[in-house]
Amino acid sequence: METVVQILVSGLTLGAMYAASTIGLSLVWGAMGVLNMAHGALLTIGGYASYSAVLHVGLPWYLGLPAAMIVSFVVGLLIYHIIFRFMYRHPAFETNVIIATVGLAIFLEQVTLLIYGAYPFLQPFSIEEGFFVSGVFVRFQNVVILVLAVATMLLVAALLSRTRMGRAIRATALNREAAQLMGVNVGRVFAQVMGIAGVVAAISGVMLSSITTLAPTMGYDPMLKAFIICVIAGLGNVPGALIAAFILGLFEAVVQFAVGVRFGFPALLLLVIIALIWRPYGVFGRRQVRRV
Amino acid sequence: MFETGPNWRRDVAFGAVLIAVLIAIPFLGPSRYFIGQLTLFFIWATVVSQWNLVFGVAGIFSLAQMAIFAFGGFATGMMGLYLGISLWFTLVLAGVGSILFSIIIGLACLRLRGPYVALLTLAIAQVMYLLIITDTACFYMEGVTCRNFTGGTRGLAKFGDFGFRELLGRREYLKGDYYLSLFLLVLATVFSFAIIRSPLGFAFRALRDNPEYGVSRGLSRFKYQLLVFAMSAFFTGLAGGVFAGHFRVIGANVLSLPLLLFLISMMVVGGLGRAWGPILGAALVMLADEGMKDFVEIRNMGYGALIVAIVVLLPQGAAGGLEQVWDWGRRQVLALRGGADRPAAGRAGEGRRE
């Protein structure tokens, strides 16, 4: 029983964090066709922004998260205005942008390293207390992570389905030219999407660093896993990504417990490759038929 | 058989001069450091030339090239260490093994398209990295110290080298590695030129530029992409083996993200899909790297910014830029000669991505 609870707690926490990292990635891909390799860097910036807001600015610990959201929001907007804005009309945009964001990722990582160094700081936005569930100690932080992740998803979903902005984003995702012809300002939609992606990345960055530590490269691993989840779910499919995130989080927790921590990620990858050979467009993805 | 291209004679002449200069350099008494850096340049340019076939010419977003490189390096070293055979022999075996390894990756990844391929290949490289650095189990004992099968975080060493130390002596052995890697680069470059200008190259480019049309003309996307994947793996694996033999050690750090980025930036700076791109790009990026040597802290930052700037400002790369300058120059010369057989195309250089 204790093991089951332990696996459930760690699996759900992992799943919640993967889900939060995945939303931003999936949204950016769905709306803009951008595979954002700098998403991990946005996560990292969020984590450090919360740290700085509390330690250097002197805000109370619970304001770390809002501060991080604001900082990553601004960085997301800047990425659009400094890089994407000049690229998205180019026919080879989807290829070039991958390379550009790889460069950006390294750039941002190095900036973080230069400012903070490689010392593994602790995230102040964290609650040490906890409670017992059938003999297993559960930190409140794990609950906070789960609640935050679910709330974020619901908010993003509501934003996409209920607001004017969301409608414009969905229209752009469906067909950029048609949306443009209907008077949607595509550039502004892209900027909004990058801003939202920044906010969501900040949330997952703060959550992630609250159960590990801050490090300039901390965003890389969750980003890779978010990629895998996107691949499984089909890029751009937000609800599918959420289900996949929780399933894979639980799967990883089981493998880590049963076989060993170092085999968690390899097992995940193996599962994904098998799934993809079975369904090349993602488990929840539909085959895209393109007219020639 | 081969489409020699409009600039065929220029390419051969340029290549011959370049090879002659590179062969002559060790006789001019350069420093050991310079020879070492050039050796490294040959190795990276070899990898990039093969990666360019996959990424630039065939348009597959594969980030697995360094995984194949690492496979070649580790296979060379491990067979040398555990089987005790000469590295010359294991190098060739590792090259062939790399082909098989890349076919396995290709079978898993090439059913996918576009960015999915990038994601999965990156994940495969990362898994290799994690499995190597978390390898703590004792494979054999060396006195009282425990050695791991893959070398773990310390890296795999003590598998020997190519024997230039005995042959040429302690002072001169670097030249052996120099000529070996130069030879490798020449072979790999000739190979990639031959592929680019052969009917196969046309098939790859057709599937890159208009997959629907290519498929409807009877090209099998999966078959051709797997083919280019496997073909490019051979020299990549050999480069990994030469790297291992040159440094006498190979570690998981060849799978690190900064190194991947270093090589991508060579490909991008040179010009994706351009025949001369890899060599030009590798040379430019390594020169920039030399320039930034004194600023260790901002070095990676520099690459990052450089890549972004090149992609945004010069999407066709340095080779593309030079091509335009060359065409412009040739038009001027032809115009001076009387202009009777002046090429009709006004901006010939632009669209010609190979």
Coordinates of all heavy atoms in Angstrom, one line a residue, chain B residues 294-334:
Chain B
D294 N 39.6 33.9 -25.3 CA 39.9 34.6 -24.1 C 38.7 35.0 -23.3 O 38.8 35.4 -22.1 CB 40.7 35.9 -24.4 CG 42.0 35.5 -25.1 OD1 42.5 34.4 -24.8 OD2 42.5 36.3 -25.9
F295 N 37.5 34.8 -23.9 CA 36.3 35.2 -23.2 C 35.5 33.9 -22.9 O 34.4 33.8 -23.4 CB 35.5 36.2 -24.0 CG 36.3 37.3 -24.6 CD1 36.8 37.2 -25.8 CD2 36.6 38.4 -23.7 CE1 37.6 38.3 -26.3 CE2 37.4 39.4 -24.2 CZ 37.9 39.4 -25.5
V296 N 36.0 33.0 -22.1 CA 35.4 31.7 -21.9 C 33.9 31.9 -21.5 O 33.1 31.1 -22.0 CB 36.2 30.9 -20.9 CG1 35.5 29.6 -20.7 CG2 37.6 30.8 -21.3
E297 N 33.7 32.9 -20.7 CA 32.3 32.9 -20.1 C 31.3 33.3 -21.2 O 30.1 32.8 -21.1 CB 32.3 34.0 -19.0 CG 33.0 33.5 -17.8 CD 33.0 34.6 -16.7 OE1 33.1 35.8 -17.1 OE2 33.0 34.3 -15.5
I298 N 31.6 34.1 -22.1 CA 30.6 34.5 -23.1 C 30.7 33.7 -24.4 O 30.0 34.0 -25.4 CB 30.6 36.0 -23.4 CG1 32.0 36.4 -23.9 CG2 30.3 36.8 -22.2 CD1 31.9 37.7 -24.7
R299 N 31.6 32.7 -24.4 CA 31.8 32.0 -25.6 C 30.5 31.3 -26.2 O 30.1 31.5 -27.3 CB 32.9 30.9 -25.3 CG 33.5 30.3 -26.5 CD 34.9 29.8 -26.0 NE 35.3 28.7 -26.8 CZ 36.2 27.8 -26.3 NH1 36.7 28.0 -25.1 NH2 36.6 26.8 -27.0
N300 N 29.9 30.5 -25.3 CA 28.7 29.8 -25.8 C 27.6 30.8 -26.1 O 26.7 30.6 -27.0 CB 28.2 28.9 -24.7 CG 29.0 27.6 -24.7 OD1 29.6 27.2 -25.7 ND2 29.2 27.0 -23.5
M301 N 27.6 31.9 -25.3 CA 26.6 33.0 -25.6 C 26.8 33.5 -27.0 O 25.9 33.8 -27.7 CB 26.8 34.1 -24.6 CG 25.6 34.6 -23.9 SD 26.1 35.4 -22.4 CE 26.3 37.1 -22.9
G302 N 28.1 33.6 -27.3 CA 28.5 34.1 -28.7 C 27.9 33.2 -29.7 O 27.3 33.7 -30.7
Y303 N 28.1 31.9 -29.6 CA 27.5 31.0 -30.6 C 26.0 31.2 -30.7 O 25.5 31.2 -31.8 CB 27.7 29.5 -30.2 CG 29.1 29.0 -30.1 CD1 29.5 28.2 -29.0 CD2 30.0 29.4 -31.0 CE1 30.8 27.8 -28.9 CE2 31.3 29.0 -30.9 CZ 31.7 28.2 -29.9 OH 32.9 27.7 -29.7
G304 N 25.4 31.2 -29.6 CA 23.9 31.3 -29.6 C 23.5 32.5 -30.4 O 22.7 32.4 -31.3
A305 N 24.1 33.7 -30.0 CA 23.8 34.9 -30.7 C 24.1 34.8 -32.2 O 23.3 35.3 -33.1 CB 24.5 36.1 -30.1
L306 N 25.2 34.2 -32.5 CA 25.7 34.1 -33.9 C 24.7 33.3 -34.7 O 24.3 33.7 -35.8 CB 27.0 33.4 -33.9 CG 27.7 33.2 -35.3 CD1 28.2 34.5 -35.8 CD2 28.8 32.2 -35.2
I307 N 24.2 32.2 -34.1 CA 23.2 31.3 -34.9 C 22.0 32.1 -35.1 O 21.5 32.1 -36.3 CB 22.9 30.1 -34.0 CG1 24.1 29.2 -34.0 CG2 21.7 29.3 -34.6 CD1 23.9 28.0 -33.2
V308 N 21.5 32.8 -34.1 CA 20.2 33.5 -34.3 C 20.4 34.6 -35.4 O 19.6 34.7 -36.3 CB 19.8 34.2 -32.9 CG1 18.6 35.0 -33.2 CG2 19.5 33.1 -31.9
A309 N 21.5 35.3 -35.3 CA 21.8 36.4 -36.2 C 21.9 35.8 -37.7 O 21.3 36.4 -38.6 CB 23.1 37.1 -35.9
I310 N 22.6 34.7 -37.8 CA 22.7 34.2 -39.2 C 21.4 33.7 -39.7 O 21.0 34.0 -40.9 CB 23.7 33.0 -39.2 CG1 25.1 33.4 -38.9 CG2 23.7 32.2 -40.5 CD1 25.9 33.9 -40.1
V311 N 20.6 33.0 -38.9 CA 19.3 32.5 -39.4 C 18.4 33.7 -39.8 O 17.7 33.6 -40.8 CB 18.6 31.6 -38.3 CG1 17.2 31.2 -38.8 CG2 19.5 30.3 -38.1
V312 N 18.4 34.7 -39.0 CA 17.5 35.8 -39.2 C 18.0 36.7 -40.4 O 17.3 37.0 -41.3 CB 17.4 36.7 -38.0 CG1 16.6 38.0 -38.3 CG2 16.7 35.9 -36.9
L313 N 19.3 36.9 -40.5 CA 19.9 37.9 -41.5 C 20.4 37.2 -42.8 O 20.3 37.8 -43.8 CB 21.0 38.7 -40.9 CG 20.6 39.5 -39.6 CD1 21.9 40.1 -39.0 CD2 19.6 40.5 -39.9
L314 N 20.9 36.0 -42.7 CA 21.5 35.4 -43.9 C 21.1 34.0 -43.9 O 21.9 33.1 -43.7 CB 23.1 35.5 -43.8 CG 23.9 35.3 -45.0 CD1 23.6 36.3 -46.1 CD2 25.4 35.2 -44.7
P315 N 19.8 33.7 -44.2 CA 19.3 32.3 -44.2 C 20.1 31.4 -45.1 O 20.0 30.2 -44.9 CB 17.9 32.4 -44.6 CG 17.5 33.9 -44.5 CD 18.8 34.6 -44.7
Q316 N 20.7 31.9 -46.2 CA 21.4 30.9 -47.1 C 22.8 30.7 -46.7 O 23.5 30.0 -47.4 CB 21.2 31.4 -48.5 CG 22.0 32.5 -49.0 CD 21.3 33.8 -48.8 OE1 20.8 34.1 -47.7 NE2 21.3 34.7 -49.8
G317 N 23.3 31.3 -45.6 CA 24.6 31.0 -45.1 C 25.7 31.6 -45.9 O 25.5 32.3 -46.9
A318 N 27.0 31.4 -45.4 CA 28.1 32.1 -46.0 C 28.4 31.5 -47.4 O 28.7 32.3 -48.3 CB 29.4 31.8 -45.1
A319 N 28.2 30.2 -47.6 CA 28.4 29.6 -48.9 C 27.4 30.2 -49.9 O 27.7 30.5 -51.0 CB 28.2 28.1 -48.9
G320 N 26.1 30.5 -49.4 CA 25.1 31.1 -50.3 C 25.5 32.5 -50.6 O 25.4 32.9 -51.8
G321 N 26.0 33.2 -49.6 CA 26.5 34.6 -49.9 C 27.6 34.7 -50.9 O 27.6 35.5 -51.8
L322 N 28.6 33.8 -50.7 CA 29.8 33.7 -51.6 C 29.3 33.4 -53.0 O 29.9 34.0 -53.9 CB 30.8 32.7 -51.1 CG 31.7 33.2 -50.0 CD1 32.7 32.1 -49.7 CD2 32.5 34.4 -50.4
E323 N 28.4 32.4 -53.1 CA 27.9 32.0 -54.4 C 27.3 33.2 -55.1 O 27.6 33.4 -56.3 CB 26.8 31.0 -54.2 CG 26.4 30.2 -55.4 CD 27.3 29.1 -55.8 OE1 28.2 28.8 -54.9 OE2 27.2 28.5 -56.8
Q324 N 26.6 34.1 -54.4 CA 26.0 35.3 -55.0 C 27.1 36.2 -55.5 O 27.1 36.7 -56.6 CB 25.1 36.0 -54.0 CG 23.7 35.6 -54.1 CD 22.9 36.2 -53.1 OE1 23.2 36.0 -51.9 NE2 21.9 36.9 -53.4
V325 N 28.2 36.4 -54.6 CA 29.3 37.2 -55.0 C 30.0 36.7 -56.2 O 30.3 37.4 -57.2 CB 30.3 37.4 -53.8 CG1 31.5 38.1 -54.3 CG2 29.6 38.0 -52.7
W326 N 30.2 35.3 -56.3 CA 30.9 34.7 -57.4 C 30.1 34.9 -58.7 O 30.7 35.3 -59.7 CB 31.0 33.2 -57.1 CG 31.4 32.4 -58.2 CD1 30.6 31.8 -59.2 CD2 32.8 32.1 -58.6 NE1 31.4 31.1 -60.1 CE2 32.7 31.3 -59.8 CE3 34.0 32.4 -58.1 CZ2 33.9 30.8 -60.4 CZ3 35.2 31.9 -58.7 CH2 35.1 31.1 -59.8
D327 N 28.8 34.7 -58.6 CA 28.0 34.9 -59.8 C 28.0 36.3 -60.3 O 28.1 36.6 -61.5 CB 26.5 34.4 -59.6 CG 26.4 32.9 -59.6 OD1 27.2 32.3 -60.2 OD2 25.5 32.4 -58.9
W328 N 28.0 37.2 -59.4 CA 28.0 38.6 -59.7 C 29.3 38.9 -60.4 O 29.4 39.6 -61.4 CB 27.9 39.5 -58.4 CG 27.9 40.9 -58.7 CD1 26.9 41.7 -59.1 CD2 29.0 41.8 -58.6 NE1 27.3 43.0 -59.2 CE2 28.6 43.1 -58.9 CE3 30.4 41.6 -58.2 CZ2 29.5 44.2 -58.9 CZ3 31.2 42.7 -58.2 CH2 30.8 44.0 -58.5
G329 N 30.4 38.4 -59.8 CA 31.8 38.7 -60.4 C 31.9 38.1 -61.8 O 32.4 38.7 -62.7
R330 N 31.3 36.9 -61.9 CA 31.4 36.2 -63.2 C 30.6 37.0 -64.3 O 31.0 37.2 -65.4 CB 30.9 34.8 -63.2 CG 31.6 33.9 -64.2 CD 31.2 32.5 -64.0 NE 29.7 32.3 -64.0 CZ 29.1 31.2 -64.2 NH1 29.8 30.1 -64.3 NH2 27.8 31.1 -64.2
R331 N 29.5 37.6 -63.9 CA 28.7 38.4 -64.8 C 29.5 39.6 -65.2 O 29.5 40.0 -66.4 CB 27.4 38.8 -64.2 CG 26.3 37.7 -64.3 CD 24.9 38.3 -64.2 NE 24.8 39.1 -63.0 CZ 24.6 38.6 -61.8 NH1 24.5 37.3 -61.6 NH2 24.4 39.4 -60.8
Q332 N 30.2 40.2 -64.2 CA 30.9 41.4 -64.6 C 32.0 41.1 -65.6 O 32.3 41.8 -66.5 CB 31.6 42.0 -63.3 CG 30.6 42.4 -62.2 CD 29.5 43.3 -62.7 OE1 29.8 44.3 -63.3 NE2 28.3 42.9 -62.5
V333 N 32.7 39.9 -65.3 CA 33.8 39.6 -66.2 C 33.3 39.3 -67.6 O 33.8 39.8 -68.6 CB 34.5 38.3 -65.7 CG1 35.5 37.8 -66.7 CG2 35.3 38.6 -64.4
L334 N 32.2 38.6 -67.7 CA 31.6 38.3 -69.0 C 31.1 39.6 -69.7 O 31.3 39.7 -70.9 CB 30.4 37.3 -68.8 CG 30.8 35.9 -68.5 CD1 29.5 35.1 -68.2 CD2 31.6 35.3 -69.6

